[in-house]
Amino acid sequence: MINEQQRQDAANALLKAEKDRQPIQQVSKTWPEMEIEDSYAVQQLWAEARVSAGARVVGHKIGLTSRAMQMASKMTEPDYGVLLDDMLYPDGARIPASRFHMPRLEVELAFVLGKPLGGKHVTVYDVLDATAYVTPALEIIDYRTEVPRSICDTIADNAAAAAMVTGGRIVRPMDVDLRWIGATLSKNGVIEESGVSAAVMGHPAMGIVWLANKLAVHGITLDAGHILLAGSFTRPTAVAAGDTIQADFGPLGSIGISFS
């Protein structure tokens, strides 16, 4: 464990790295006693500083939802990060690549809550009942530290969340079988990745079940209107200035963006 001052120092270092667009040494190397509990505390301090500077919390992202990613990260459960309003981009956006250090894209579904979700023992049925609609999404992940990274580095760095894009067709959660929503991700006209949402813990809502129960331990409820990124069902795809991206979700439409 590290102390409160060290947690604050780590959060400040990540804030500076984000502002300067210059990665720092892994926080787990600077503070080798850091544990997972510390890393979530650092993430919270980072988020509070961003909110104090004018940002607004609009939801959460869930990462490490596939078994393969958990094994690679030596984790036995997912992780989470905070989504802020200045991370949101619309379909068709031209996104400045200079905003990021090493951006990569992941294909996901976003659940938008119609009513609060929280308390202990949340189930998949509670998630579906609380969800106003589901929409196709892309998450842009980025690193504010050097690599390779431990799980503490990733969590402290807001679970690598940097930005997100939503688009395509919105659907009510009971109107389609969410497990079998598939997508392809094309970069500059070439399909780089494809997947199906059942790869996310068997059902994309299961990541949100985990998140709601995890936050309930700290007395946190997910609010109506919050956007919840359920986890990627493709591998990350690197992007850079000049790239054009098309994510095709079949019956749910598509998302198109480019990087300048």
Side-chain angles (χ1 to χ4, degrees):
M1 298 289 288
I2 60 176
N3 60 40
E4 288 300 322
Q5 185 57 56
Q6 290 171 318
R7 290 176 172 181
Q8 187 64 66
D9 291 343
N12 290 343
L14 289 165
L15 286 162
K16 187 175 188 302
E18 182 180 28
K19 179 181 179 181
D20 296 345
R21 308 289 192 268
Q22 185 66 41
I24 58 171
Q25 178 177 263
Q26 300 92 323
V27 293
S28 64
K29 288 186 177 180
T30 305
W31 295 276
E33 298 83 11
M34 180 178 286
E35 297 179 2
I36 287 177
E37 181 181 342
D38 297 312
S39 60
Y40 275 119
V42 171
Q43 179 191 122
Q44 181 63 30
L45 289 167
W46 171 88
E48 289 172 356
R50 294 280 274 102
V51 169
S52 294
R56 177 173 56 88
V57 174
V58 295
H60 287 80
K61 62 84 48 105
I62 304 149
L64 302 180
T65 51
S66 72
R67 183 60 179 154
M69 289 299 291
Q70 289 178 13
M71 291 177 68
S73 303
K74 298 180 180 180
M75 285 285 285
T76 58
E77 65 176 17
D79 65 358
Y80 67 83
V82 178
L83 297 175
L84 303 172
D85 60 343
D86 58 7
M87 295 179 176
L88 306 182
Y89 285 97
D91 185 15
R94 188 161 176 80
I95 301 172
S98 60
R99 174 177 176 177
F100 313 103
H101 167 57
M102 194 167 60
R104 296 184 294 166
L105 284 180
E106 295 183 335
V107 176
E108 314 201 11
L109 292 178
F111 288 63
V112 180
L113 296 182
K115 57 186 178 181
L117 178 68
K120 297 179 180 178
H121 311 302
V122 168
T123 68
V124 67
Y125 306 106
D126 297 322
V127 171
L128 296 177
D129 180 63
T131 299
Y133 61 89
V134 177
T135 184
L138 293 173
E139 181 183 1
I140 301 174
I141 60 173
D142 196 19
Y143 295 162
R144 270 76 60 160
T145 73
E146 297 171 351
V147 294
R149 306 194 337 155
S150 73
I151 189 59
C152 287
D153 297 310
T154 298
I155 292 172
D157 192 19
N158 198 34
M164 66 168 290
V165 185
T166 55
R169 173 189 164 209
I170 64 173
V171 292
R172 292 179 296 186
M174 301 298 189
D175 288 352
V176 297
D177 188 343
L178 295 175
R179 298 173 303 161
W180 299 111
I181 294 175
T184 60
L185 181 71
S186 299
K187 180 170 71 172
N188 303 324
V190 177
I191 295 177
E192 298 282 351
E193 290 291 336
S194 63
V196 64
S197 60
V200 179
M201 303 174 73
H203 193 296
M206 287 303 299
I208 296 166
V209 169
W210 174 85
L211 175 66
N213 288 320
K214 187 79 171 178
L215 293 178
V217 175
H218 304 289
I220 300 172
T221 297
L222 298 167
D223 296 335
H226 270 190
I227 304 166
L228 306 175
L229 283 176
S232 179
F233 50 91
T234 65
R235 294 175 300 181
T237 297
V239 291
D243 286 340
T244 298
I245 300 296
Q246 186 82 10
D248 187 346
F249 287 77
L252 266 65
S254 63
I255 300 173
I257 56 174
S258 61
F259 288 85
S260 61

